[in-house]
Amino acid sequence: MTIETLLLLARTRTDADRSRIRLATAALAFSGALLIDAVHIGLLGSRELSYETSSRYVTELGLRPGLIAVLVVLSALAASLAVQALRIGTAARDRRFAALELAGATKGQVRRLSTVDAGLIGLFGGLLSGPLYAILTLLFSWFPPLVRVFPGTSVTDVGVWAAVTVVLTVSGTAIGHFTYRSPATRTSSVRLPRVMGMASGAALLVIGLVSAVAYVLPAMPLTLAGLVLLWMTLAPLRIQALGRRLSASGDPARLLASARLINDTRSVARLGALLLGCAFLVGVVTQMSLEILREANSYDLAFYLTGMVMSALALVLMAAIALAALTVGVADQLVDQRRQLACLTALGVDVTFLRRVVRGQIAMVAAPALMTGTCLGLLAGPSGLATYLVEPLPLLYLAGGLAGLLLLSWGFAVGGASLAGYLLRNQLRDALDPENLRAA
Amino acid sequence: MIALELTDIEYSYRRNTALRGVSLQVEAGEIVAITGASGCGKSTLLHCAAGILTPDKGSVRLDGQDLAELSADARAALRRTKIGVVLQFGQLVPDLPLIDNVALPLLLAGHQRSEAHEHAREWLTQVGIQDEADAVPSELSGGQTQRAAIARALVSGPSVVLADEPTGSLDSRAGKELLDVLVSTARYRGAALVMVTHDNLVAAAANREIRLRDGVIQHEVAL
């Protein structure tokens, strides 16, 4: 296969696949921009900056490592979202690969297409990360100095941008190569929960929670890792059970909605785990904010709360991207099932009804992950267990924070799902078009 | 000369046995129709012949080469060069223009695009859809899609063409036209043609009809 053919076949033109590529590229560009910022701050070394031009998180030498750590965590979260977006197996993409194999493409050739596709996404994500970093710097310069965590641009940023582009391209290529599964060998069934995954997840969670009493900060990543591992091991079973329950409901539209949950369990579960991770960190940030508010007299409120709100907003943005990835999956399902959906028109099903089904399908996956994550984050954050044991928070205070977070995360899931239903209204209308009955 | 030889083929899906010891020989240039009720194993037999499925037992030989002795990649290469496959709905790559779809086996074999397009254009002319070269499959009628699938199957000069219900998705007039194209182009190439069909008209165009029932050959008639 020549390079020209490789590029021709790697480039896709279907709507669902374009959405998948846009999402992955945007997530990678965001990840790259955060990484450039982290390296920029790291390269400042012991150089002092003016309080009037940058945030205190940047100007104070002692706070820089903390800010860099936060930026790296957020960058890793955005990158893992991009990986999930890359791994969404759209039906159009599967059909394409199956048709290529039928025409005589070897599995190696098809894998090479997937590798080039992911490598190109990495390259474009990397190329966009530089301009995005410049835009974010400009955007933040309009805010008060306290929130300016993007401390301007310099000539060395160009070199960092080039390095980040290379890293993202190489990572994209590696991910495309190692995560490719032939449509013919992909199975929809979920194996029994892997005992090792469950046991490791549970052990990490327990160690994290117990050690939080004495070693607050090191314990938190352990708790988060344990939680995500447990969720990724158990969520596929829950999602399959949910899919099976929907498929047995007797309602034809719900029957169709169950198909994606059953057939694409793993990617839905992985996106759920990402939502859980984001929500956990939001819970942690909320708990820290509550602690600061409780001890308002001994803290510089504006300084700390600005950092907390900014972290929370970045995490909410990540969760929104994860919800968008779920929406791409649902949109793909609509295109794939347009013939069956068109049959529903004859049964009197309309767009409004289908929007309700789409809303339910997304909310059913997102709401439990978000609600569990925020609750556990709130209870197990850095000053959580340790403080509660030594100096219990007033019950009303804790219950109020918990109820507020639960309500917010449920509202975010349902609101996001409603927005997805609204954004997909044209696809739903197209899917219900009786003209599709003729489609092969 | 024997182009395709299947010996004692057995194949089972999880619970159902689809083929129970089917043997078949197809001469170069011969046209064979495989008929039978739904679920009798016709398509499974064709997929085994194409190397898409690997039989549980028995052997498939193409131009004397045993497919079981080949790696998956070598089987794919064989499918690209010596076998042409036409399925009921064409199974073209949905987002590629017709010219690229037809040129695909050549492009995958490493030919330059301009050279592959030249051959593809010849075959599009041969099957009568040269004006649709830049259209994508969704812009075509069922008959045009099937014609493109025939052009794709023949572009690399295969010795055997395997067609699974090639007229199944078409009305009788379009089906008749497509059959004429398929038979004439296969003859033009001197390729053996094996068609799985329910359609009596398709079966009548063959030199030999093999009727399957419950995974075994029920009878064989020279036409």
Side-chain angles (χ1 to χ4, degrees), chain A residues 358-383:
Chain A
V358 167
R359 205 162 57 211
Q361 199 181 338
I362 296 175
M364 271 185 282
V365 175
L370 289 172
M371 291 165 84
T372 311
T374 44
C375 279
L376 288 174
L378 185 74
L379 295 172
S383 51

Side-chain angles (χ1 to χ4, degrees), chain B residues 106-126:
Chain B
L106 300 175
L107 292 171
L108 290 168
H111 290 254
Q112 289 300 322
R113 202 168 171 204
S114 53
E115 181 198 345
H117 274 193
E118 205 177 303
H119 284 285
R121 224 173 276 282
E122 278 171 27
W123 277 101
L124 283 174
T125 308
Q126 191 78 30

Side-chain angles (χ1 to χ4, degrees), chain A residues 69-93:
Chain A
V70 169
L71 287 169
V72 169
V73 168
L74 290 176
S75 169
L77 266 176
S80 56
L81 265 170
V83 174
Q84 286 320 315
L86 278 176
R87 293 180 73 177
I88 294 173
T90 60
R93 194 163 180 252

